[in-house]
Amino acid sequence: MTGKEELLKLLAACVVEMEDEKIIPTAQAYIKAGYPAAEGILHGLVEGMNKAADLYENEEYFIPELLICSDAMYNGLDVLSPHLGKHDFQKKAKVVIGVVEGDTHDIGKNIVKIMLETAGYEIIDLGRDVPAAAFIECVKNTGASVVALATLMSTSTGNMKKVIELLQQAGLREGVKVIVGGGPISAAFAEKIGADGYAVNAVEAVKLADRLVG
């Protein structure tokens, strides 16, 4: 029988290497061997997606490759998720996520969404090119305690500040943590606009969310 660590590496490799069909029997073998589904997701699928994101950031992968990696990860999730225990991934908090107005690039946001979902967060995805007011309305309607803002366009970074200002004006800021990320964003920028944290990648976004509200 293949060992757990080897199968976790195989799951991660299937994601990174875009093996969207091969990952299904690999995930089935992992479950059949009696290993925990939660670990398969976090240390197999998520690990693989994080490596794919690194390749994208280093311009070794591009959007088409990243989308196939995402397909592989979702195929693995389809196999592993039904085997999660009742308490493996209790919903931690509601997160409103979106790419701010002026930017239609959403692959990075989608990876963060996947990571947060698999880590147990309830995600409300507003998509891309989202007006600042839409984030505030969503927080009001859903009671979300985290807003995650992304952009790859330096020209759109001002809209992150606008979201925070509107949260303050609506009297919601104290009950909502704001996380920002994306190519032109830095920890210094996050502090300047009054965000609660900056995540350099999807895995760090999950760690940040855990520290703030998890």
Side-chain angles (χ1 to χ4, degrees):
M1 184 174 67
T2 308
K4 182 172 72 172
E5 292 304 317
E6 185 177 346
L7 282 168
L8 288 173
K9 289 179 181 178
L10 285 171
L11 286 169
C14 283
V15 174
V16 176
E17 295 167 12
M18 298 172 280
E19 298 280 4
D20 55 337
E21 293 184 5
K22 181 180 176 182
I23 198 168
I24 295 173
T26 304
Q28 290 170 338
Y30 179 88
I31 291 298
K32 187 176 181 180
Y35 300 130
E39 290 185 33
I41 292 171
L42 291 177
H43 302 303
L45 305 183
V46 171
E47 180 66 23
M49 202 66 213
N50 187 46
K51 290 178 180 177
D54 287 342
L55 290 170
Y56 176 73
E57 289 175 9
N58 292 329
E59 297 185 348
E60 295 179 50
Y61 273 12
F62 299 93
I63 288 177
E65 288 84 0
L66 216 51
L67 290 174
I68 301 174
C69 290
S70 297
D71 287 342
M73 181 172 183
Y74 277 122
N75 286 348
L77 282 172
D78 286 343
V79 175
L80 297 180
S81 294
H83 299 276
L84 287 171
K86 185 183 296 185
H87 304 293
D88 281 340
F89 287 130
Q90 289 186 337
K91 294 300 180 186
K92 298 175 181 177
K94 288 183 182 178
V95 178
V96 178
I97 191 170
V99 179
V100 295
E101 189 171 16
D103 189 355
T104 59
H105 301 87
D106 63 357
I107 190 66
K109 180 268 296 178
N110 290 340
I111 294 172
V112 172
K113 173 188 172 182
I114 292 169
M115 300 293 198
L116 287 170
E117 282 178 333
T118 56
Y121 289 91
E122 182 178 344
I123 306 298
I124 302 122
D125 185 2
L126 298 184
R128 55 191 182 180
D129 197 19
V130 182
F135 288 99
I136 282 64
E137 284 304 308
C138 189
V139 169
K140 287 180 180 177
N141 294 334
T142 64
S145 56
V146 180
V147 172
L149 306 173
T151 186
L152 287 178
M153 305 285 289
S154 58
T155 52
S156 300
T157 56
N159 288 319
M160 291 182 165
K161 183 179 180 181
K162 188 175 180 181
V163 171
I164 294 173
E165 290 172 346
L166 290 179
L167 284 169
Q168 291 171 334
Q169 291 172 20
L172 298 169
R173 183 67 182 94
E174 285 189 10
V176 177
K177 301 297 184 182
V178 179
I179 297 171
V180 296
I185 308 305
S186 65
F189 175 81
E191 184 176 355
K192 181 180 178 181
I193 66 172
D196 295 289
Y198 156 72
V200 67
N201 58 39
V203 168
E204 291 303 314
V206 173
K207 291 178 181 177
L208 179 58
D210 284 346
R211 286 198 300 272
L212 292 174
V213 298

